[in-house]
Amino acid sequence: RKEVEQDPGPFNVPEGATVAFNCTYSNSASQSFFWYRQDCRKEPKLLMSVYSSGNEDGRFTAQLNRASQYISLLIRDSKLSDSATYLCVVNTGRRALTFGSGTRLQVQP
Amino acid sequence: GAGVSQSPSNKVTEKGKDVELRCDPISGHTALYWYRQSLGQGLEFLIYFQGNSAPDKSGLPSDRFSAERTGGSVSTLTIQRTQQEDSAVYLCASSLGLVEQYFGPGTRLTVT
């Protein structure tokens, strides 16, 4: 089983839609969680950290469920510019972070 | 301020040749990471440096791969006797610890 698993998608949604991604992790001792965004042929960039109490940044909401060992990302009012691959990132207790393979989102006009 | 920089941005080499990829982390960042990403794939962890500690080399795919970090700053990833399967984008990232990482633009390596 992979340490961090994501549905690869693609998720094809119309502009204005709400879309949610989940990510599961296997190490219950994981401490830190992040969502990164990667545009085609570009480097990953931090989108937001995920806090235990959940957190919101504009149209983006991240939540952590420790009991079920998953994190989620909700995007409201999708924009064309949201089209990208979203990477789930977890500190699994090794010295480096572990990246999921990513979920591809395509927002259509 | 300046972000993570990498050079070269693109490298084409013949099979069997050695290549060196360079990474300049964000000033003051103690942690430095190397990853590689093949087309359409996720990030594959290669190696991690933290301060003066021994590097975590657990992700290096073979003994043809090595990396060093001089003076706690600049890092060089060396691939000896390159193979076609080494073709990928090599990404470097830095951070202040086990927190959010900041990535460089990557080096696109093509082995012909």
Side-chain angles (χ1 to χ4, degrees), chain A residues 36 38 43 46 95 97 99, chain B residues 35 37 48 54 98 101 104:
Chain A
Y36 276 70
Q38 186 172 26
E43 72 273 21
L46 178 67
R95 290 193 284 170
L97 301 179
F99 285 74
Chain B
Y35 298 88
Q37 188 172 33
Y48 161 63
L98 276 176
Q101 299 176 7

Side-chain angles (χ1 to χ4, degrees), chain B residues 80-101:
Chain B
Q80 295 179 310
R81 304 181 303 282
T82 51
Q83 304 294 313
Q84 287 187 329
E85 60 263 29
D86 299 335
S87 296
V89 176
Y90 287 81
L91 290 159
C92 174
S94 71
S95 72
L96 280 170
L98 276 176
V99 290
E100 52 264 32
Q101 299 176 7

